[in-house]
Amino acid sequence: MTATILDGTAVSKRLMAALTERVAGMARKPTLAVVLVGQDPASQVYVKRKGKVAHEVGLGHRQIDLPIDTSEADLLKVVAELAADDDVDGILVQFPVPAQIRQSAVLDAIPAEKDVDGLTTANLGRLVQGRPLLVACTPKGAMRLIAESGVDPAGKRAVVIGRSNIVGRPMALLLEQANATVTVAHSRTPNLADVVREADLVVAAVGRPEFVKASWIKPGAVVIDVGINRTPEGKLVGDVATAEVSEVAGAITPVPGGVGPMTIAMLMENTVEAAVSRRP
Ligand code: NAD
């Protein structure tokens, strides 16, 4: 079998075209504020890309650059100002933040209704309770790609490898709420290959290059590769050994061009949703 490629670039382009049209028809432009502390090169690339895409969709966009030695109190003050600013619909603080700042303190300062990354305690808590407000962009985008595969998670066995608050944990909740029977595997899971072999749907969010092998995959399974890893040679690869797994899986997301572009599309969608729910 040669797996169908779930083309996140193409799907995200369609989504963004629809969003652009929606935004053009809105009386007030939704606005995304992105805060970057320090000058980490990877973070700068991510933040620049978010600004560029926001501009393409027609959103308002602000970027607030703060020095690397910004104190937690000063960052919280900036977040509080954005929270109080009625013209700002979405607030995103680019992580990681420098060591003197607690990520949890930053997240707790962002009001749930402006938390377009869907990472605050309130938004993750709402997802746990089955009444989501704004959902984390990467798992939300991964769910859209599963929908694209034509496989309905209802009644299927799903295995999510990884239990981070950003990807694995919310992904497992979304799959469970879509009526899949979900197993969460992690670094302490014994016999991981056997666990994964039971899955009709596999989501890999591990952070280890080409970790998931073809021999772990049930023939025909849908494989969603969230991983973004750089090899020593500088090549971008996922958490799945794509070439060999493609021979067994029914559908697979490529890296790059799978979940990555969906994540940014979901950020734009969340910004629009945040604007609409604040001012229906
Ligand atoms: P993380 O380090 O917070 O979590 C990794 C998870 O993998 C942990 O829960 C851990 O238990 C599990 N794990 C580690 N080693 C394992 C092993 N040997 N066997 C089984 N499980 C193991 O990482 P994260 O933030 O969840 O990100 C995971 C990957 O997804 C990374 O490659 C990251 O770059 C990528 N990512 C991509 C996007 C995107 O937009 N595509 C967004 C966020 C993260």
Side-chain angles (χ1 to χ4, degrees):
M1 179 183 294
T2 304
T4 304
I5 303 297
L6 301 173
D7 183 346
T9 304
V11 176
S12 70
K13 275 191 182 149
R14 282 206 302 275
L15 276 167
M16 292 218 279
L19 262 186
T20 308
E21 214 177 295
R22 187 171 169 199
V23 170
M26 290 172 82
R28 194 183 66 89
K29 253 197 221 179
T31 293
L32 172 66
V34 180
V35 183
L36 176 61
V37 185
Q39 294 183 325
D40 173 67
S43 293
Q44 280 180 321
V45 170
Y46 291 140
V47 164
K48 197 170 161 204
R49 172 122 189 84
K50 285 165 188 171
K52 184 171 173 274
V53 176
H55 179 73
E56 283 165 10
V57 173
L59 301 179
H61 172 255
R62 287 190 209 166
Q63 184 175 327
I64 296 108
D65 289 293
L66 299 174
I68 188 139
D69 58 356
T70 301
S71 67
E72 183 179 295
D74 283 346
L75 176 57
L76 294 184
K77 211 169 129 205
V78 170
V79 171
E81 280 163 13
L82 294 170
D85 187 335
D86 205 34
D87 289 335
V88 171
D89 298 288
I91 304 171
L92 184 157
V93 178
Q94 184 67 41
F95 290 141
V97 280
Q100 72 275 16
I101 300 171
R102 290 167 302 154
Q103 182 170 312
S104 57
V106 177
L107 285 177
D108 287 343
I110 301 173
E113 63 275 13
K114 293 192 179 187
D115 167 32
V116 283
D117 247 352
L119 300 180
T120 59
T121 308
N123 273 326
L124 194 53
R126 290 186 67 119
L127 183 61
V128 170
Q129 293 186 350
R131 46 187 192 100
L133 181 66
L134 292 164
V135 174
C137 301
T138 300
K140 188 178 179 184
M143 288 300 287
R144 294 285 173 88
L145 285 179
I146 291 172
E148 284 290 314
S149 76
V151 170
D152 180 356
K156 301 287 190 307
R157 290 293 304 270
V159 172
V160 178
I161 319 173
R163 56 178 165 180
S164 72
N165 283 336
I166 298 183
V167 191
R169 189 161 286 144
M171 187 74 215
L173 290 165
L174 289 169
L175 284 166
E176 177 239 290
Q177 285 163 21
N179 299 315
T181 302
V182 184
T183 301
V184 179
H186 46 76
S187 52
R188 306 289 181 90
T189 301
N191 307 322
L192 181 62
D194 292 340
V195 173
V196 174
R197 221 172 273 124
E198 291 184 2
D200 306 300
L201 264 163
V202 180
V203 180
V206 187
R208 288 175 155 235
E210 304 186 317
F211 178 64
V212 176
K213 308 297 182 209
S215 61
W216 304 13
I217 302 296
K218 184 200 253 191
V222 175
V223 179
I224 305 293
D225 188 355
V226 179
I228 303 178
N229 311 288
R230 219 167 260 286
T231 64
E233 299 77 43
K235 197 180 157 212
L236 209 60
V237 297
D239 288 344
V240 175
T242 311
E244 59 175 67
V245 170
S246 297
E247 298 299 316
V248 185
I252 188 166
T253 61
V255 177
V259 177
M262 293 300 290
T263 298
I264 201 152
M266 293 300 104
L267 175 65
M268 302 305 139
E269 187 177 281
N270 277 354
T271 305
V272 174
E273 280 178 9
V276 171
S277 63
R278 281 197 325 119
R279 298 193 202 174

